[in-house]
């Protein structure tokens, strides 16, 4: 099951929610867990509202207190960021290559240089140098 949430709106709802409301809507307990800046202050309330939170909080504490796991998490996070940057650059290069290929084909077919510029986004100077 997948939920798409507008976090800022939920934060406002969570801040005003009572224990009974948290018990009725367990999704609120998850949102409260993920948006909390002070888990210790809300730990008891979360556990009472949603029994699964006992296990969640225990696992969270275990994970965050294990330096080796945190280093692995940070390394993975850095790797994923690097991948995202690399893919973004490759996408930009691919887009540029596509613009150039289109411009070359249009130029070869005798299209007006200003029209080529309009449709490819390349400058007239770039097109002249192809």
């Amino acid at each position: 099951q997948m939920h798409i949430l507008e976090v800022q709106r939920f934060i406002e709802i969570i801040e005003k929610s009572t224990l009974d409301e948290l018990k009725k809507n367990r999704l609120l307990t998850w949102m409260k867990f993920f948006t909390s800046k002070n888990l210790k202050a809300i730990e008891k309330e979360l556990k009472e509202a949603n029994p699964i939170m006992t296990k969640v909080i225990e696992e969270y504490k275990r994970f965050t207190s294990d330096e080796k796991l945190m280093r692995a998490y940070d390394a993975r996070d850095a790797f994923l960021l690097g991948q995202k940057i690399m893919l973004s650059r490759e996408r930009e290069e691919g887009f540029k290559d596509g613009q150039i290929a289109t411009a070359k084909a249009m130029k070869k077919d005798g299209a007006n240089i200003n029209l080529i510029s309009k449709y490819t986004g390349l400058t007239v100077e770039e097109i002249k140098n192809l």
Side-chain angles (χ1 to χ4, degrees):
Q1 188 175 20
M2 180 187 251
H3 297 276
I4 298 174
L5 307 168
E6 186 182 341
V7 175
Q8 189 56 46
R9 190 166 152 223
F10 265 90
I11 291 172
E12 294 166 9
I13 293 168
I14 290 165
E15 288 174 351
K16 297 174 185 173
S17 62
T18 65
L19 182 58
D20 285 337
E21 290 169 331
L22 290 174
K23 286 180 180 179
K24 289 177 189 171
N25 187 348
R26 293 193 174 160
L27 178 60
L28 289 177
T29 59
W30 283 99
M31 291 303 300
K32 194 163 191 166
F33 172 76
F34 284 121
T35 59
S36 173
K37 291 183 174 91
N38 184 358
L39 182 60
K40 192 168 183 120
I42 62 165
E43 184 176 342
K44 184 179 176 189
E45 179 184 38
L46 289 178
K47 288 177 178 179
E48 187 176 338
N50 187 351
I52 194 71
M53 283 296 154
T54 299
K55 179 99 172 128
V56 169
I57 292 168
E58 285 172 12
E59 284 299 310
Y60 172 78
K61 286 179 179 179
R62 183 187 65 77
F63 182 82
T64 56
S65 66
D66 186 323
E67 203 164 312
K68 186 177 177 183
L69 281 175
M70 288 305 293
R71 279 196 313 272
Y73 176 81
D74 288 340
R76 182 177 185 278
D77 200 34
F79 170 78
L80 291 175
L81 178 60
Q83 289 287 346
K84 184 177 178 181
I85 291 168
M86 183 181 71
L87 287 173
S88 177
R89 286 184 188 150
E90 288 175 357
R91 199 173 293 122
E92 287 172 16
E93 288 173 15
F95 182 73
K96 187 72 169 179
D97 290 346
Q99 288 175 305
I100 292 169
T102 301
K104 282 181 179 179
M106 291 177 77
K107 188 175 180 182
K108 183 180 176 188
D109 288 346
N112 178 286
I113 201 161
N114 291 319
L115 184 67
I116 298 171
S117 177
K118 176 181 176 182
Y119 287 107
T120 63
L122 299 174
T123 66
V124 170
E125 194 61 37
E126 288 174 308
I127 297 164
K128 285 180 182 177
N129 293 329
L130 293 177

